Amino acid sequence: MARLSLPALASIALAACTPQDGATGELAEQAAGTGQVAEPVEADPAELPDEFVRTAWRVVAADGARYTTYFDEGGRYRDFRNGDPWQEGGWETDAEGQLCFLPDPEGGVLRCWQPDRMQDDNRMIATSEGGQRIRIERADYSPPVEPVAEGGDQGNAGDDTE
């Protein structure tokens, strides 16, 4: 099954943001031995979003599935497929402007994407290390929902009901 979500792009996400405190190095160390090697690609930071923290991005797969990735504070992401929780893990941008994802649990494969220029302030193309290109667009960001105390309902932001 091809994973086109931002992280499966993750199936996205992007890059000239402020690096997350040594994050790419840490993610790379965690993914050591996975065979994932990122080729640096130049990005023009003036034409990319300044920050990805507290933003959300969506991609539609060839089969019509809608993936939405939420970039939370602390270098964490949440990925939803058709509104249902699908994947989560760590994210960061590297020195070359790539957006890198390391899914939970341990043993996940580090994947990096190179974002291109913004189009219409809400869309861009991102390219995987293997050359796959996807079009992503901004979505409404919702922070993670904290579990309710004993016996209460739990919920997740990002139901993607648009």
Side-chain angles (χ1 to χ4, degrees):
M1 173 170 112
R3 292 188 173 185
L4 286 183
S5 98
L6 296 186
L9 188 26
S11 263
I12 103 188
L14 328 124
C17 28
T18 306
Q20 302 289 316
D21 297 340
T24 301
E26 291 173 17
L27 290 182
E29 287 176 19
Q30 292 174 28
T34 64
Q36 297 297 312
V37 178
E39 289 296 320
V41 178
E42 297 278 330
D44 183 354
E47 297 180 8
L48 294 172
D50 293 332
E51 283 275 335
F52 287 99
V53 174
R54 293 179 306 279
T55 65
W57 298 82
R58 177 177 301 121
V59 65
V60 178
D63 65 0
R66 292 170 27 140
Y67 295 91
T68 305
T69 299
Y70 296 84
F71 293 89
D72 299 324
E73 295 184 81
R76 298 292 299 167
Y77 75 85
R78 295 169 289 128
D79 202 18
F80 290 78
R81 182 181 189 274
N82 295 328
D84 295 322
W86 184 68
Q87 182 177 353
E88 60 183 66
W91 72 273
E92 63 192 14
T93 55
D94 67 12
E96 288 81 31
Q98 295 184 109
L99 185 61
C100 299
F101 299 89
L102 182 62
D104 293 339
E106 288 186 37
V109 176
L110 179 69
R111 299 194 192 281
C112 297
W113 291 75
Q114 179 64 54
D116 202 349
R117 322 187 146 94
M118 290 294 296
Q119 303 167 353
D120 304 325
D121 291 330
N122 66 353
R123 284 179 252 162
M124 74 174 74
I125 301 294
T127 306
S128 73
E129 297 162 298
Q132 177 186 10
R133 293 172 46 91
I134 60 171
R135 186 178 86 163
I136 57 175
E137 61 185 52
R138 287 186 193 260
D140 292 331
Y141 175 79
S142 299
V145 175
E146 297 296 324
V148 176
E150 293 184 33
D153 290 335
Q154 291 183 343
N156 282 319
D159 62 6
D160 197 27
T161 56
E162 293 178 37

